[in-house]
Amino acid sequence: MTDSRIIQTAIEKIEHRRLGSTQQLLDIHDVVYEKNQPKVLRVDKDSFDGSAIVYFPILNEKFFLAVYLDTKPGIRVRDVSTEAYHTVFFSAISNTLTFEQLSSLTKLIPSKGWSKGDVANSGKSVHRNSGFHFEPNPEPDAFEDKLNKLLDALEQDKKGVLALANQADILIQVGSVFHNGNTMLGGHYLTKENVKRMAALALSIDFDLYAEGNFFKN
């Protein structure tokens, strides 16, 4: 099943607004257009049941419009909704070690990092500790998928993660931006397997949750 057919079916659903949920969302928010058609951020075909999700950016918002499709036996739109923006990353923080020293303890390739005393990106302050961040999949995705992909990556260097745990404060940090359409935001679910995997890596987890966007019209 080619991405182009999945994308075209998703775009047709957005532009024709035949589904009530599509109309409801596009009455209050605009999809970002590129080359005269909705911009596609990602086609997610990771599901084992053959379904797919096409993610579209929403103008001036972090959360996404998501079109859910069945692809077997044919392509058919199942639903249109918003998907929250999630960032799920591993963080190691130290008051004594530099970023380079933190990096030397693991095989993980940092997504970003800094040393204590470095000027912050704002240029108005300096970092009061050193930080090492690792985020393997920054693309649009469900929280559960992002968490499992992060744990998969961390387990490839369990020795390094535990070395960081012995010399720094480590945790998984989650930031989520939900669409505040009707104040029912949903939430995050941790399975027993998630908890066991995090415990084996000496990890805690921290959540920052935000609600943005316009309310649905009555």
Side-chain angles (χ1 to χ4, degrees):
M1 188 66 64
T2 63
D3 286 0
S4 59
R5 289 180 59 195
I6 294 172
I7 290 171
Q8 187 57 42
T9 302
I11 288 176
E12 288 174 359
K13 181 60 65 173
I14 291 175
E15 294 190 323
H16 294 162
R17 304 190 183 193
R18 291 172 183 160
L19 201 63
S21 57
T22 311
Q23 181 68 53
Q24 185 182 37
L25 178 62
L26 295 182
D27 278 346
I28 58 173
H29 284 292
D30 295 319
V31 173
V32 175
Y33 271 69
E34 187 175 71
K35 297 180 180 178
N36 296 319
Q37 70 175 15
K39 179 180 180 180
V40 175
L41 291 177
R42 182 183 178 222
V43 179
D44 180 355
K45 297 190 294 184
D46 292 345
S47 176
F48 293 109
D49 65 2
S51 61
I53 307 170
V54 183
Y55 292 97
F56 299 90
I58 295 176
L59 187 65
N60 299 323
E61 302 292 350
K62 281 194 169 184
F63 54 84
F64 312 102
L65 184 149
V67 179
Y68 301 85
L69 307 98
D70 294 317
T71 63
K72 298 177 181 179
I75 301 176
R76 181 181 67 86
V77 172
R78 179 189 300 174
D79 194 15
V80 178
S81 184
T82 56
E83 176 63 58
Y85 165 87
H86 304 292
T87 177
V88 182
F89 61 93
F90 169 79
S91 174
I93 301 295
S94 175
N95 288 320
T96 57
L97 301 181
T98 65
F99 167 69
E100 289 74 19
Q101 290 170 325
L102 290 171
S103 299
S104 70
L105 296 173
T106 178
K107 297 177 183 178
L108 301 173
I109 305 301
S111 304
K112 65 177 180 179
W114 60 86
S115 291
K116 183 177 181 179
D118 286 351
V119 177
N121 289 336
S122 65
K124 299 178 181 179
S125 61
V126 298
H127 289 289
R128 291 184 286 183
N129 48 39
S130 299
F132 176 104
H133 286 184
F134 172 69
E135 184 179 14
N137 61 322
E139 69 270 18
D141 209 346
F143 161 74
E144 294 80 5
D145 292 337
K146 281 185 173 257
L147 177 60
N148 283 316
K149 289 174 184 177
L150 175 60
L151 291 172
D152 289 344
L154 296 178
E155 287 168 345
Q156 297 303 307
D157 185 28
K158 183 176 180 179
K159 181 179 178 181
V161 173
L162 293 177
L164 284 167
N166 287 330
Q167 299 195 49
D169 296 321
I170 69 168
L171 75 159
I172 292 174
Q173 292 190 307
V174 179
S176 297
V177 180
F178 295 88
H179 176 221
N180 191 26
N182 60 3
T183 74
M184 295 178 64
L185 304 182
H188 297 316
Y189 176 71
L190 299 177
T191 66
K192 291 185 288 186
E193 184 63 24
N194 291 150
V195 175
K196 289 179 181 178
R197 295 174 74 185
M198 288 188 293
L201 294 166
L203 286 167
S204 57
I205 188 166
D206 177 71
F207 295 94
D208 291 318
L209 308 180
Y210 305 89
E212 297 181 359
N214 300 322
F215 286 104
F216 289 124
K217 296 178 180 179
N218 294 328

